Amino acid sequence: MARIKKGDLVEVITGRTQARGGDRGKQGRVLEVQVEKNRVLVEGINFVKKHVRVGQTQRGSKTGGIETVEASIHASNVALVDPESKKPTKVGFRLEEVTKDGVTKTVRVRYAKKSGKDL
């Protein structure tokens, strides 16, 4: 089970501080998780300039130029945000028995370690 999932609120815990033009300390929602590369795409974090070839649409308007887009960041550089304290926290897993339609099964549940609240 993954520690960080799409839609989670995370905070950048490494890199340059905001005063020096970096992203450390910023919070944002996870837009995409790249499991094979161990990277996450976070909304509003790690902007890069991308040069796109100039073209035309069907209506004749120009496209392309220099665009600012979000780039992925390594999963170890972000921490999940505790829903109660709004501060970064570690993630734990616990086994719970769930009964549904008369069938009992064991499932793993993520929780914020400091507060103990389910995520």
Side-chain angles (χ1 to χ4, degrees):
M1 182 179 257
R3 295 187 185 283
I4 298 175
K5 295 182 176 183
K6 180 178 175 181
D8 284 345
L9 183 65
V10 295
E11 182 173 323
V12 179
I13 56 173
T14 59
R16 287 181 143 185
T17 59
Q18 293 180 24
R20 293 185 163 264
D23 291 328
R24 185 170 58 186
K26 289 185 181 177
Q27 294 184 356
R29 293 255 172 230
V30 176
L31 300 174
E32 179 184 349
V33 178
Q34 300 167 355
V35 179
E36 308 82 35
K37 296 179 181 178
N38 204 16
R39 298 179 77 83
V40 292
L41 188 69
V42 183
E43 183 179 24
I45 306 292
N46 197 23
F47 282 109
V48 294
K49 295 207 183 274
K50 185 175 180 183
H51 295 262
V52 180
R53 181 179 293 172
V54 176
Q56 278 188 328
T57 62
Q58 293 287 340
R59 295 186 176 150
S61 61
K62 298 275 186 191
T63 61
I66 301 173
E67 297 177 355
T68 304
V69 294
E70 293 144 341
S72 63
I73 185 170
H74 199 270
S76 66
N77 295 335
V78 296
L80 206 61
V81 173
D82 184 4
E84 291 178 356
S85 65
K86 301 293 184 202
K87 295 189 176 184
T89 185
K90 291 187 175 186
V91 180
F93 296 96
R94 67 171 160 245
L95 298 175
E96 290 185 359
E97 297 287 329
V98 176
T99 304
K100 186 176 179 184
D101 298 330
V103 178
T104 303
K105 99 178 167 181
T106 306
V107 294
R108 291 175 67 192
V109 178
R110 290 187 314 160
Y111 70 96
K113 282 198 170 179
K114 290 179 185 169
S115 69
K117 184 168 182 353
D118 289 340
L119 299 172

